[in-house]
C-alpha cells in the first residue's frame, strides 16, 4: 500500500498521500480513494510530501479526479510538492486547474 | 562509650574511674590538660570530665581546645568543681562546658548526667553521619546531573539553530526542563515545531523529552506528516512513561510558503493565531488528549490545516506562563499574554524581559516556555549536496521481449542503478519521468496500438488500463530496446527507446497539454501530456524509423 487517506480533525479536509511512485499502477487505488466522498463541501488535498516520482499517467489521474469532483465547491489542493514534482505540474500548467502550494 | 577524666588529684581520678567503670563505660584518666590534648585523638572520648582548678592549663582553657578537636560532633564536657562561685561557673559555661559535677561525687547524679550527655553525643554522632551521607549523595547527584544535562543538551541540539522567524523564551524551574520546544526542517522546506509540557517538572519530567525529541527529529527529517509524527511520539511515550505521566503537546507544520499551517494539538492550551495587523484570529485549540495516554489503536492522528496570511503570527506558551500569578489571584492568562505582546508591539525581547520580571514578582511554580512564530516563507529548503558527476562514460542497452515486458519493471531497475552513480541522484525524478513516458509510449502506442482518446472519460481512463493489460497478455511478438548513453564531457544522457511495432508519430505541431489548458477546455483531452513532459525536460527530441524510435538528450545540470 502506497496510498494513504485521512480526514482532518474537523472533517473539512480529505487528504490523499501517495508514497514513492505515482504512476499508472495507482489508477484503481487512487480512484477508489476519492470515489466515496459524498460531501461536496469537503476540501480535497493531495499531499505530495512522500511522492518521489510522477509521470503523465498520474497527471491524468489528477485531472480525472478533478472532473469527478467538479461538483465540489472548493478547488483541489496539491500540496508539499518537491521542486522536481512542481516542475512536472508546472509544465502541464496544473496551476490553472488546481491550487498548488 | 569512652570517658576522659582530667583531674590533677589522684583521689578524684581514682574515684571517678571506678564509678565510670561501674556504669559500664571505658574511662581513661590523665593528670593535666596538656596530657589530655596528647591522648585525645587516640582515645577519642565521647565525654569529658574536666577539673576546673588545675595547675598549668585551667579547665576553662582546655575545654575550647577539646571541643575543637571533636570537630563537628558534639563533645559533652562536664566540669568537676567544688566551687560555688557563680562567676567561675559562668566562665566554664562560656568556655563550652555543658554541665557541672560537684564534689564530693554522688554516684547517682554522675550516672544520670553521663547517661543524659552521652545521649546527646549519640544524637550528634548520628546527625554527623547523616550529614556526611547527605553530602556524599549531593555530590554524586551533582555529578550525575552534569552528565545527564550533557546528554539532554546533545539530544536537543538538533533544533534549527538560527531560524530567524521564531523567537523563544525558556524559564525552567530547575536545571532540567519539563517543557520542550523542538524545531526541524522537512526535506521540502516546511518547518516543524513541537511544543511539549510533561507532567510535573525537574528531571522526572524532562526525561520524557529524550524519546520524544529523537522520534521527532527522525520523522521530521523524512518529511512525515504531522499526524504521523504525533502517532509515533505517542507510541514511544505510552510505552515508556508511567501511567500518571503524559505530555501535553502541540505539533505544528508551517509550509515552505509560510501560508499553510497544519497542527495536531493534544491537551496543550491553544496557541494563538494573530493576523498580520496584530488582530486575534483564534486558537489552535486542542482536539485530542495529551501524548503518552492512549494506546496506539485508540490514538487519533487527525490534524487541522488552515491557510494563513503572510505576516501572521503564532503565539505558543506552556501552562507555566498562562497560569503565572494564579496563586496571587491575578493569573496572566492567554489574553493577558496577548495583551502583553500587543503592548510591546510584538517586540519579543521586551516581552521576555517583562515576563522575567513577572516571575520574580509573582513567584514561578512551573517551567515556562514562550515562542513566537512568524508565518513567512521559511527559506529552509534542504540543499541537496551536489556531488561531482561521474567521469566514467557508459552505455547501457536493454532488449526486452514480451516475457520481460510483461514481468519486469525496467524503469525501476534503471533508476536503482542510476542512484549509485555519482551526481545522478538529484536527477532521479526527471529521469523517472523521461523513462516512464518513453517506455510506456513504446508499449501503449508502439506495441499495443492503444487509443488515447479512450482516456477522456473517468471510466475510460480505467478501461484504458484494463484494455492495456489485456492486450499486453495477448501480444505474442514484441521487442522494446532501451539504450542510455552517458557522456561525462557534455554531462549528457542520451536515451533511445525503440519498439518493434508499427511506429508512433505525434500529430504535427501539437502540444496537447497547452491546448488543454490555454484552450480553456480544462482537461477535456486527457492524453498527449507525456510527450510535452519529454519535450520540456529533455532536448533534441527526435523520432526515427518511422516513429518506432524516440531519441532525446537529458542534461545533468
Amino acid at each position: 500500500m502506497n496510498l494513504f487517506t485521512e480526514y482532518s480533525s474537523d472533517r473539512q479536509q480529505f487528504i490523499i498521500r501517495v508514497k514513492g511512485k505515482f504512476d499508472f499502477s495507482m489508477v484503481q487505488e487512487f480512484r477508489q480513494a476519492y470515489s466515496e466522498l459524498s460531501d461536496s463541501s469537503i476540501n480535497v488535498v493531495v499531499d505530495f510530501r512522500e511522492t518521489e516520482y510522477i509521470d503523465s499517467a498520474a497527471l491524468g489521474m489528477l485531472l480525472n479526479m478533478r472532473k469527478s469532483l467538479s461538483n465540489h465547491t472548493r478547488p483541489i489542493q496539491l500540496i508539499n510538492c518537491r521542486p522536481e514534482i512542481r516542475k512536472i505540474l508546472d509544465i502541464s500548467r496544473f496551476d490553472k486547474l488546481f491550487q498548488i502550494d | 562509650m569512652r570517658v576522659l577524666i582530667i583531674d590533677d588529684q589522684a583521689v578524684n581520678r581514682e574515684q571517678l574511674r571506678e564509678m565510670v567503670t561501674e556504669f559500664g563505660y571505658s574511662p581513661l584518666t590523665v593528670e593535666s590538660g596538656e596530657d589530655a590534648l596528647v591522648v585525645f585523638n587516640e582515645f577519642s572520648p565521647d565525654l569529658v570530665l574536666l577539673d576546673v582548678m588545675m595547675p598549668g592549663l585551667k579547665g576553662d582553657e582546655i575545654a575550647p581546645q577539646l571541643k575543637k578537636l571533636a570537630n563537628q560532633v558534639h563533645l559533652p564536657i562536664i566540669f568537676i568543681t567544688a566551687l560555688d562561685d557563680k562567676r567561675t561557673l559562668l566562665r566554664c559555661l562560656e568556655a563550652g562546658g555543658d554541665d557541672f559535677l560537684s564534689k564530693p561525687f554522688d554516684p547517682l547524679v554522675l550516672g544520670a548526667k553521663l547517661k543524659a550527655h552521652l545521649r546527646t553525643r549519640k544524637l550528634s554522632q548520628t546527625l554527623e553521619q547523616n550529614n556526611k551521607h547527605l553530602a556524599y549523595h549531593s555530590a554524586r547527584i551533582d555529578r550525575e546531573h552534569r552528565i545527564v544535562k550533557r546528554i539532554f543538551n546533545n539530544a536537543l541540539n538538533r533544533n534549527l539553530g538560527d531560524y530567524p522567524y521564531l523567537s523563544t523564551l525558556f524559564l525552567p524551574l530547575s536545571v532540567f526542563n519539563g517543557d520542550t520546544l523542538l524545531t526541524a526542517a522537512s526535506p521540502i522546506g516546511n518547518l516543524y515545531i513541537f511544543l511539549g509540557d510533561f507532567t510535573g517538572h525537574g528531571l522526572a519530567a524532562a526525561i520524557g523529552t529524550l524519546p520524544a525529541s529523537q522520534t521527532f527529529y527522525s520523522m521530521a527529517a523524512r518529511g512525515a506528516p504531522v499526524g504521523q509524527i504525533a502517532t509515533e511520539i505517542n507510541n514511544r511515550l505510552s510505552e515508556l512513561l508511567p501511567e500518571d505521566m503524559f505530555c501535553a503537546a502541540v505539533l505544528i507544520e508551517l509550509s515552505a510558503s509560510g501560508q499553510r499551517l497544519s497542527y495536531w494539538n493534544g491537551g496543550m492550551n491553544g496557541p494563538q493565531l494573530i493576523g498580520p495587523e496584530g488582530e486575534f484570529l483564534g486558537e489552535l485549540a486542542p482536539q485530542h488528549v495529551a501524548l503518552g495516554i492512549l494506546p496506539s489503536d485508540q490514538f487519533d492522528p487527525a490534524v487541522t490545516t488552515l491557510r494563513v496570511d503572510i505576516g501572521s503570527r503564532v503565539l505558543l506558551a506552556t501552562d507555566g506562563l498562562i497560569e503565572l500569578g494564579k496563586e496571587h489571584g491575578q493569573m496572566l492568562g492567554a489574553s493577558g499574554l496577548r495583551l502583553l505582546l500587543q503592548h510591546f508591539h510584538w517586540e519579543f525581547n521586551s516581552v521576555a524581559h517583562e515576563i522575567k520580571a513577572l516571575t520574580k514578582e509573582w513567584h514561578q511554580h512551573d517551567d515556562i516556555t514562550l515562542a513566537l512564530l512568524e508565518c513567512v516563507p521559511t527559506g529552509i529548503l534542504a540543499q541537496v549536496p551536489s556531488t561531482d558527476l561521474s567521469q566514467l562514460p557508459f552505455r547501457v542497452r536493454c532488449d526486452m521481449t514480451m516475457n520481460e515486458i510483461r514481468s519486469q519493471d525496467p524503469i525501476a531497475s534503471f533508476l536503482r542503478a542510476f542512484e549509485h552513480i555519482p551526481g545522478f541522484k538529484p536527477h532521479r525524478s526527471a529521469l523517472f519521468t523521461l523513462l516512464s513516458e518513453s517506455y510506456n509510449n513504446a508499449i501503449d502506442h508502439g506495441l499495443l496500438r492503444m487509443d488515447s482518446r479512450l482516456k477522456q472519460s473517468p471510466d475510460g481512463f480505467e478501461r484504458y488500463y484494463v484494455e492495456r493489460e489485456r492486450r499486453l497478455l495477448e501480444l505474442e511478438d514484441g521487442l522494446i530496446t532501451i539504450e542510455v548513453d552517458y557522456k561525462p564531457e557534455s554531462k549528457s544522457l542520451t536515451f533511445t527507446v525503440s519498439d518493434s511495432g508499427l511506429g508512433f508519430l505525434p500529430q504535427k505541431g501539437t502540444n496537447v497539454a497547452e491546448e488543454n489548458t490555454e484552450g480553456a477546455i480544462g482537461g477535456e483531452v486527457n492524453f498527449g501530456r507525456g510527450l510535452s513532459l519529454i519535450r520540456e525536460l529533455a532536448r533534441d527530441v527526435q523520432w526515427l524509423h518511422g516513429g518506432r524510435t524516440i531519441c532525446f538528450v537529458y542534461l545533468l545540470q
Side-chain angles (χ1 to χ4, degrees), chain B residues 168-227:
Chain B
T168 50
L169 171 70
F170 303 105
L171 298 172
L173 264 190
S174 68
V175 183
F176 298 104
N177 198 342
D179 287 357
T180 186
L181 184 85
L182 308 171
T183 53
S186 88
I188 46 171
N190 292 0
L191 173 78
Y192 294 107
I193 296 179
F194 173 94
L195 177 63
D197 179 357
F198 282 85
T199 336
H201 42 79
L203 180 57
I207 200 84
T209 63
L210 287 182
S213 63
Q214 299 318 295
T215 307
F216 171 82
Y217 290 131
S218 70
M219 303 274 303
R222 277 190 267 143
V226 164

Side-chain angles (χ1 to χ4, degrees), chain B residues 18-94:
Chain B
E18 269 176 31
M19 288 184 195
V20 165
T21 311
E22 194 98 324
F23 297 135
Y25 307 124
S26 322
L28 179 70
T29 53
V30 290
E31 294 178 27
S32 65
E34 289 83 349
D35 286 355
L37 293 175
V38 171
V39 300
F40 189 90
N41 272 336
E42 196 178 328
F43 183 60
S44 144
D46 294 302
L47 186 146
V48 177
L49 294 171
L50 178 55
D51 190 12
V52 181
M53 297 302 293
M54 286 187 295
L57 284 172
K58 302 278 175 292
D60 60 325
E61 292 168 322
I62 305 165
Q65 299 191 45
L66 295 179
K67 288 270 183 186
K68 210 168 170 186
L69 286 170
N71 278 327
Q72 302 292 320
V73 187
H74 169 63
L75 176 70
I77 295 178
I78 303 176
F79 280 102
I80 301 162
T81 173
L83 299 170
D84 278 336
D85 172 11
K86 274 189 185 160
R87 200 175 299 162
T88 311
L89 293 181
L90 264 176
R91 212 172 58 235
C92 289
L93 283 177
E94 273 163 18

Side-chain angles (χ1 to χ4, degrees), chain B residues 128-244:
Chain B
E128 168 70 3
Q129 200 89 44
N130 289 349
N131 280 344
K132 271 188 188 155
H133 274 247
L134 214 57
Y136 168 78
H137 282 291
S138 160
R140 198 173 122 176
I141 284 173
D142 274 352
R143 188 173 155 272
E144 285 178 350
H145 274 196
R146 273 198 302 277
I147 294 170
V148 175
K149 182 74 191 157
R150 191 70 178 271
I151 296 173
F152 274 98
N153 286 344
N154 290 340
L156 303 178
N157 74 355
R158 288 161 67 190
N159 273 348
L160 291 177
D162 43 10
Y163 184 68
Y165 310 115
L166 181 71
S167 314
T168 50
L169 171 70
F170 303 105
L171 298 172
L173 264 190
S174 68
V175 183
F176 298 104
N177 198 342
D179 287 357
T180 186
L181 184 85
L182 308 171
T183 53
S186 88
I188 46 171
N190 292 0
L191 173 78
Y192 294 107
I193 296 179
F194 173 94
L195 177 63
D197 179 357
F198 282 85
T199 336
H201 42 79
L203 180 57
I207 200 84
T209 63
L210 287 182
S213 63
Q214 299 318 295
T215 307
F216 171 82
Y217 290 131
S218 70
M219 303 274 303
R222 277 190 267 143
V226 164
Q228 232 175 54
I229 301 179
T231 306
E232 277 310 305
I233 296 178
N234 179 68
N235 290 352
R236 292 289 290 137
L237 293 182
S238 52
E239 270 167 35
L240 290 171
L241 298 186
E243 301 238 312
D244 57 347

Side-chain angles (χ1 to χ4, degrees), chain A residues 9 31 49 52 55-56 80, chain B residues 190 304 428 436-437 462:
Chain A
S9 56
R31 175 97 193 270
R49 69 174 67 228
E52 282 185 89
D55 67 5
S56 62
N80 290 321
Chain B
N190 292 0
T304 302
R428 63 205 165 115
S436 175
E437 300 307 336
E462 265 180 86

Side-chain angles (χ1 to χ4, degrees), chain A residues 2-4 6 16-22 47-53 79-82 85, chain B residues 188 192 219 222-225 228:
Chain A
N2 282 321
L3 189 140
F4 306 87
E6 62 199 3
I16 304 174
R17 280 188 288 127
V18 177
K19 207 169 175 172
K21 203 161 67 175
F22 190 9
D47 188 345
F48 284 91
R49 69 174 67 228
E50 290 159 305
T51 313
E52 282 185 89
Y53 308 117
I79 65 167
N80 290 321
C81 310
R82 54 188 80 200
I85 306 283
Chain B
I188 46 171
Y192 294 107
M219 303 274 303
R222 277 190 267 143
Q228 232 175 54

Side-chain angles (χ1 to χ4, degrees), chain A residues 7-8 10-14 37-44 69-75:
Chain A
Y7 281 95
S8 65
D10 56 6
R11 297 192 74 81
Q12 285 306 296
Q13 278 195 346
F14 179 71
L37 286 179
S38 49
D39 179 0
S40 65
S41 68
I42 211 154
N43 189 6
V44 179
L69 304 181
S70 56
N71 62 330
H72 276 232
T73 45
R74 292 154 84 175

